[in-house]
Amino acid sequence: MSEQAVENTVLDRFECRSCGYVYEPEKGDNKHDIAPETPFAELPVNWRCPVCTAKKAAFTNIGPAGTASGFRENLGYGLGVNQLTPAQKNILIFGALALGFLFFISLYGLQ
């Protein structure tokens, strides 16, 4: 018998599919006087996106902040790179670009 992990979605962020606005429970919504630490499920029924006024149904769960982006079933592929958080991916990409630039500049030292 396999156990399924119960997922805590209280602090999950939700993204508006219309405009890309991300509701973060840690921050709340100042425009509609929603206090910080208010989960998306506890928002009023008539709450709208503060950017494009889309209804709550237009939002999709994108998970908690600081987690790997993408579908969970795909995180095992890609030589482990899919399991990196967006910040880690930025460090990897821009670090590789900076290293490549340094190698390119070092070619001027050859005579």
Side-chain angles (χ1 to χ4, degrees):
M1 179 166 38
S2 65
E3 284 185 34
Q4 291 184 353
V6 176
E7 296 182 26
N8 185 5
T9 60
V10 172
L11 295 179
D12 283 2
R13 298 170 306 142
F14 284 77
E15 181 179 28
C16 178
R17 291 179 293 189
S18 299
C19 69
Y21 167 79
V22 177
Y23 174 77
E24 299 185 38
E26 294 86 15
K27 296 179 182 177
D29 179 12
N30 292 336
K31 188 174 182 181
H32 296 105
D33 294 324
I34 303 296
E37 303 296 327
T38 303
F40 187 79
E42 293 180 11
L43 292 175
V45 177
N46 60 351
W47 182 82
R48 300 282 186 135
C49 175
V51 176
C52 68
T53 67
K55 294 181 180 182
K56 279 179 67 173
F59 282 74
T60 184
N61 187 339
I62 58 172
T67 58
S69 56
F71 296 108
R72 284 194 182 97
E73 58 267 12
N74 294 336
L75 295 180
Y77 298 103
L79 302 173
V81 179
N82 286 348
Q83 295 179 359
L84 298 176
T85 64
Q88 291 171 328
K89 288 179 185 177
N90 283 338
I91 291 171
L92 181 67
I93 291 168
F94 292 113
L97 286 173
L99 186 63
F101 179 75
L102 289 175
F103 284 147
F104 178 74
I105 294 299
S106 70
L107 294 175
Y108 286 108
L110 298 176
Q111 295 197 14

